[in-house]
């Protein structure tokens, strides 16, 4: 068990406290900004505070991860340390799964219980007394109170952009796996090519997703405020889109590291972690495609 | 910052540094003992803050009628008391104990991810600074109860709710990272030969607690995010006018909230399972069944959440399912209580402070468990719901459960942390004052609750006056007593009879193999556990 004897315990680090301050400032700024917007106050210090905090966070991310990369390349990390990173990333992804579970749970609850009850069906159909005559359909093209929550005139069809996006993301999972195989065999040329292609596919996905949102907002009246269909639709696809953005950024960082000659065929956990994250985001999309768009 | 690369640790040499000097030691530390101490001190500060809010509540409830505070402020006090005690006092105390003890118990040099560990801690003062600052904002702080049901917390909330939501996000990030660290440490940093079934129960219960945290804190993040969207971005998750449902809030909240209550008690189970054998001078009875019972409780915690919602209007099938599933929890919990009692049976027991708190834990937590069984009966719950009976129930599991577990742990391990024995006489006084105060405060709540006194209301019917006065006197007694605890701890840090490496003759575990106080760095080279028995309780079952 020789690898137990070299566990790397880092000395003092300034990054955690910078990260804390950065997050606190960002969140305080965001909160002030939102509150000022809602109250209709013209002058708000919120945006400024928010962006200062965000700068802090960005500085911290570069510094902290840069530090870890440097340590890794100095050879400070034992195989046991590598396992700590693997467990850390595994459980982080599990926490992300549970985050999405909350939103999927909300969707299923609305579709299979609360929605029908509001329409007068099922065990708690008495809820229909709130808005007598309300008929439940999914997609919900008619909300109980259209004055407060104007219903959309239509929803996004699964077989247009979403289908193309599905193909894009699934393909990107394959290209990323090809990149990984190339890395394992130390074939740097194909590695760069496949990885760059993966980032491009991710970016293409995001562009199409934005296009879909514009279409929804301008032509269909499908917005965050258009009742529960719009709420769940944008919450699920929006958080997924945010994750694709983060994943694409991480993969871009990996691409830069590959171009700088980082990683070897044996040692490349940074790359693997990025790949795990990307595949996770891909699986979430498949769930979305089935439960949000198709069914 | 490449200077952070510690060449000594890197090359495996054994000449360690001591702690850094001044404030930077605490701000920049990566040491699990420093971080553990900070967690514990932070937790105690929050315990006093949340406690003083409880004092305001009990002062107002000393007599019927409105005397001291306005109802608006009373609501903020009940809300903040709950939030601060749950997220600021109990959870960080257990994370602090985990930080201090788990590396010592499994023979690890530190936590698996030491810098992230420091990040997890420092997020807490940030989160609670933000949360407490809402009290001073226009419109006041959160006033919708610690369970923040929509639409009270959305449509009708004060403006400060935005900061409340963001503070919860900060706490969530802290908890998730802390839990990932604990789980990675336990799975990866055990000394060679320390198999899972050789781990002390505190480590086992924390492994399962860590899993629960990683599973449900993101769900809490999800529900507050939906609130944020409803408040600021026009969504209708919790508004039936747009096709949503306020009850959806309760489902998502309690899907987090029920595992959360086990997050607050499982580590106490683990600590008590170390302390009772030590002072009974007998191995723990039924180690294996303890592990499985903990896992069973954790599993069940995911399928019982709607027992908090019996009166909100869920289908009969749901009421029945959640009622029976909830009752099932009594089985693994009963296994645990049986094992603790059997451990004490025919032991040569002594009653130092850790043992006093642990024995009180077993008895009083069981009372809280029984009132939980009463609440689990759906038709009966219609009578108890939202009364002081519920308040009595969860204070019986949290105060003599979680808090007594923390006190027991603190006294048990103080000699290891400080190198001194604490003042046993004062500690016993602390125990008896806490024990009497807490029972005086919470036992009468069963009676007024069954008679129908509603919770979270600053005024009450004349007929509840006597019991409420008793409750308030007990609460003041319990509250003041905690200053004695602070005194005992400071006294112990400053001096006292020197503690040996193993000050408790019946104690077992690796933490007692290092000197007291534990050196700044321990187990840089892990001990070999290969020859240890599968578990020390093994041969003497029964």
């Amino acid at each position: 068990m020789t690898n137990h004897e070299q566990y790397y315990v880092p000395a003092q680090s300034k990054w955690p406290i910078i990260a804390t301050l950065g997050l606190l400032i960002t969140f305080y700024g965001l909160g002030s900004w939102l509150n000022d917007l809602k109250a209709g106050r013209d002058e708000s210090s919120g945006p400024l505070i928010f962006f200062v905090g965000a700068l802090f966070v960005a500085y911290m991310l570069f510094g902290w991860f840069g530090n870890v990369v440097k340590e890794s390349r100095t050879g400070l990390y034992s195989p046991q340390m590598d396992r700590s990173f693997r467990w850390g990333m595994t459980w982080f992804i599990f926490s992300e799964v549970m985050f999405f579970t909350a939103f999927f749970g909300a969707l299923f609850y609305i579709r299979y219980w609360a929605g029908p009850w509001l329409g007068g069906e099922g065990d708690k159909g008495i809820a229909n007394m709130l808005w007598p005559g309300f008929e439940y359909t999914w997609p919900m093209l008619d909300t109980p109170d259209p004055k407060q929550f104007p219903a959309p005139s239509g929803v996004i069809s699964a077989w247009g952009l979403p289908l193309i996006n599905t193909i894009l993301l699934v393909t990107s999972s394959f290209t990323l796996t090809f990149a990984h195989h190339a890395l394992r065999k130390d074939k740097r040329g194909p590695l760069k090519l496949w990885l760059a292609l993966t980032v491009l596919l991710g970016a293409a996905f995001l562009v199409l997703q934005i296009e879909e949102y514009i279409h929804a907002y301008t032509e269909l009246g499908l917005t965050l405020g258009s009742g529960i269909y719009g709420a769940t639709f944008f919450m699920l696809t929006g958080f997924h889109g945010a994750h694709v953005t983060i994943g694409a950024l991480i993969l871009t960082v990996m691409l830069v590291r590959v171009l700088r000659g980082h990683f070897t065929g044996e040692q490349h956990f940074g790359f693997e972690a990025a790949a795990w994250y990307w595949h996770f985001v891909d699986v979430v999309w498949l769930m979305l495609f089935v439960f949000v768009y198709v069914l | 910052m490449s200077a952070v690369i510690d060449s000594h640790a890197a090359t495996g040499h054994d000449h360690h540094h001591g702690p850094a000097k001044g404030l930077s030691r605490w701000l920049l530390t990566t040491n699990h003992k420093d971080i553990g101490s900070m967690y514990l001190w932070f937790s105690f500060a929050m315990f006093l803050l949340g406690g003083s809010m409880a004092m305001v509540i009990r002062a107002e409830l000393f007599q019927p009628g409105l005397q001291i505070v306005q109802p608006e402020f009373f609501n903020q006090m009940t809300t903040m008391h709950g939030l601060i005690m749950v997220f600021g006092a109990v959870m960080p105390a257990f994370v602090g104990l985990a930080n201090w003890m788990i590396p010592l118990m499994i023979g690890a040099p530190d936590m698996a991810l030491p810098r992230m560990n420091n990040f997890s801690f420092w997020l807490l003062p940030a989160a609670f600074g933000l949360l407490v600052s809402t009290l001073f904002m226009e419109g006041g702080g959160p006033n919708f109860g610690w369970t923040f049901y929509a639409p009270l917390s959305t449509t009708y909330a004060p403006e400060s709710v935005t900061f409340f939501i963001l503070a919860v996000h900060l706490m969530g990030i802290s908890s998730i990272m802390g839990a990932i660290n604990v789980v990675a440490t336990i799975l990866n940093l055990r000394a060679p030969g320390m198999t899972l079934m050789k781990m002390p129960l505190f480590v086992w219960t924390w492994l399962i607690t860590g899993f629960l945290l990683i599973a449900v804190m993101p769900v809490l993040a999800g529900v507050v995010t939906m609130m944020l969207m409803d408040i600021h971005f026009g969504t209708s998750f919790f508004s039936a006018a747009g096709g949503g449902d306020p009850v959806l809030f309760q489902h998502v909240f309690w899907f987090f909230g029920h595992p959360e209550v086990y997050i607050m008690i499982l580590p106490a189970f683990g600590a008590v399972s170390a302390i009772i054998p030590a002072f009974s001078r007998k191995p723990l009875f039924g180690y294996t069944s303890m592990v499985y019972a903990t896992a069973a409780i954790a599993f069940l915690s995911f399928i019982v959440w709607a027992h908090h919602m019996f009166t909100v209007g869920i289908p009969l099938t749901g009421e029945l399912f959640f009622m029976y599933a909830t009752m099932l929890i009594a089985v693994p919990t009963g296994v645990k209580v049986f094992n603790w009692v059997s451990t004490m049976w025919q032991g040569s027991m002594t009653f130092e402070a850790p043992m006093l708190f642990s024995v009180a834990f077993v008895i009083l937590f069981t009372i809280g468990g029984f009132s939980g069984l009463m609440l689990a009966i759906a038709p009966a719950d219609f009578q108890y719901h939202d009364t002081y009976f519920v308040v009595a129930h969860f204070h019986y599991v949290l105060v003599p459960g979680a808090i007594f577990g923390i006190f027991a742990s603190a006294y048990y391990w103080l000699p290891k942390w400080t190198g001194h024995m604490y003042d046993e006489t004062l500690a016993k006084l602390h125990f008896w004052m806490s024990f009497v105060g807490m029972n005086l405060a919470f036992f009468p709540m069963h009676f007024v609750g069954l008679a129908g006194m509603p919770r979270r209301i600053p005024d009450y019917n004349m007929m509840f006056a006597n019991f409420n006065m008793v409750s308030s006197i007990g609460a003041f007694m319990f509250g003041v007593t905690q200053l004695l605890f602070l005194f005992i701890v400071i006294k112990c840090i400053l001096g006292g009879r020197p503690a040996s490496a193993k000050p408790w003759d019946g104690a077992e575990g690796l933490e007692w193999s290092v000197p007291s106080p534990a050196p700044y760095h321990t187990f840089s080279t892990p001990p070999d556990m290969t020859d240890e028995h599968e578990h020390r309780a093994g041969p003497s079952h029964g």
Side-chain angles (χ1 to χ4, degrees), chain B residues 43-100:
Chain B
S43 149
F44 190 71
M46 288 298 115
F47 182 55
L48 290 188
L49 181 63
S52 53
M53 290 168 177
M55 297 299 104
V56 173
I57 295 168
R58 282 320 316 176
E60 176 56 50
L61 294 175
F62 193 78
Q63 286 184 313
L66 292 177
Q67 287 94 13
I68 301 169
V69 294
Q70 292 303 305
E72 295 78 19
F73 189 69
F74 185 88
N75 289 342
Q76 296 173 39
M77 286 294 102
T78 53
T79 306
M80 292 294 255
H81 165 72
L83 290 169
I84 288 175
M85 287 305 199
V86 168
F87 295 102
V90 173
M91 287 168 69
F94 284 125
V95 184
L97 291 172
N99 260 292
W100 246 104

Side-chain angles (χ1 to χ4, degrees), chain A residues 7 10 14 35 71 80 84 228, chain B residues 1 30 112 115 162 188 241-242:
Chain A
Y7 200 81
K14 66 177 177 179
N35 276 352
E71 286 171 1
Q80 198 187 11
S84 283
I228 193 65
Chain B
M1 268 314 278
T30 49
R115 281 174 292 218
T162 312
N188 192 29

Side-chain angles (χ1 to χ4, degrees), chain A residues 80-124:
Chain A
Q80 198 187 11
M81 187 77 210
D82 188 66
R83 282 200 299 276
S84 283
F85 285 135
R86 280 165 199 277
W87 277 124
M89 191 66 195
T90 307
W91 289 106
F92 170 67
I93 290 178
F94 175 62
S95 80
E96 291 270 43
V97 169
M98 293 307 292
F99 185 66
F100 277 100
T101 301
F103 298 126
F104 275 109
L107 177 71
F108 297 148
Y109 176 75
I110 296 290
R111 289 188 58 175
Y112 296 104
W113 285 291
W117 293 343
L118 212 50
E121 304 158 38
D123 282 337
K124 295 287 160 186

Side-chain angles (χ1 to χ4, degrees), chain B residues 495-511:
Chain B
R497 195 159 53 82
S500 61
K502 193 178 132 184
W504 313 115
D505 54 353
E508 292 206 45
L510 276 178
E511 75 262 38

